[in-house]
Coordinates of all heavy atoms in Angstrom, one line a residue:
Q26 N -4.5 3.6 -20.5 CA -5.3 2.4 -20.4 C -6.0 2.4 -19.0 O -5.3 2.4 -18.0 CB -4.4 1.1 -20.5 CG -3.9 0.9 -21.9 CD -3.0 -0.4 -21.9 OE1 -1.9 -0.4 -21.4 NE2 -3.6 -1.4 -22.5
Q34 N 5.3 -3.5 -16.5 CA 5.6 -4.3 -15.3 C 6.4 -5.5 -15.7 O 6.7 -6.4 -14.8 CB 4.3 -4.8 -14.7 CG 3.4 -3.6 -14.2 CD 4.0 -2.8 -13.2 OE1 4.2 -3.2 -12.0 NE2 4.5 -1.6 -13.6
L84 N -4.7 12.1 -18.3 CA -5.5 10.9 -17.9 C -4.7 10.0 -16.9 O -5.3 9.6 -15.9 CB -5.8 10.1 -19.1 CG -6.9 10.7 -20.1 CD1 -6.9 9.9 -21.4 CD2 -8.3 10.6 -19.4
P97 N -10.5 1.3 -3.9 CA -11.0 0.8 -5.2 C -12.3 0.1 -5.0 O -13.1 0.0 -6.0 CB -9.9 -0.1 -5.7 CG -9.1 -0.5 -4.5 CD -9.2 0.7 -3.6
S110 N 0.5 6.5 -0.3 CA 1.3 7.7 -0.5 C 1.7 8.4 0.8 O 2.6 9.3 0.8 CB 0.5 8.7 -1.4 OG -0.7 9.0 -0.8
Q137 N 7.9 -0.7 18.8 CA 7.3 -1.8 18.1 C 5.8 -1.8 18.0 O 5.2 -2.1 17.0 CB 7.8 -3.1 18.7 CG 9.3 -3.4 18.6 CD 9.6 -3.8 17.1 OE1 8.7 -4.2 16.3 NE2 10.9 -3.7 16.8
N148 N -2.8 -1.8 6.5 CA -3.3 -3.0 5.9 C -4.8 -3.1 5.9 O -5.4 -3.5 4.9 CB -2.7 -4.2 6.7 CG -1.3 -4.4 6.5 OD1 -0.7 -4.1 5.4 ND2 -0.6 -5.0 7.5
Q186 N 21.8 -9.8 24.9 CA 22.4 -9.4 26.2 C 22.9 -10.5 27.0 O 23.9 -10.3 27.8 CB 21.3 -8.6 27.0 CG 20.9 -7.3 26.4 CD 19.7 -6.6 27.2 OE1 19.2 -7.2 28.1 NE2 19.3 -5.5 26.7
V217 N -0.9 -11.1 7.3 CA -1.7 -12.3 7.3 C -2.8 -12.3 8.3 O -4.0 -12.6 8.0 CB -0.8 -13.6 7.5 CG1 -1.6 -14.8 7.7 CG2 0.2 -13.7 6.4
D234 N -13.9 -6.8 -18.4 CA -14.9 -5.7 -18.5 C -15.4 -5.3 -17.1 O -16.4 -4.5 -17.1 CB -16.1 -6.2 -19.3 CG -15.7 -6.6 -20.8 OD1 -14.9 -5.8 -21.3 OD2 -16.2 -7.5 -21.3
H247 N -2.5 -15.3 -3.4 CA -1.6 -14.6 -4.2 C -1.4 -13.2 -3.7 O -0.3 -12.7 -3.6 CB -2.0 -14.7 -5.7 CG -1.1 -13.9 -6.6 ND1 0.2 -14.3 -6.9 CD2 -1.3 -12.7 -7.2 CE1 0.7 -13.3 -7.7 NE2 -0.2 -12.4 -7.9
V251 N 2.0 -11.4 -2.2 CA 2.6 -10.3 -2.8 C 2.8 -9.2 -1.7 O 3.8 -8.5 -1.6 CB 1.8 -9.8 -4.0 CG1 2.3 -8.4 -4.5 CG2 1.9 -10.8 -5.1

Side-chain angles (χ1 to χ4, degrees):
Q26 292 181 288
Q34 299 299 285
L84 289 168
S110 55
Q137 289 292 339
N148 289 329
Q186 290 174 0
V217 174
D234 298 322
H247 173 73
V251 172

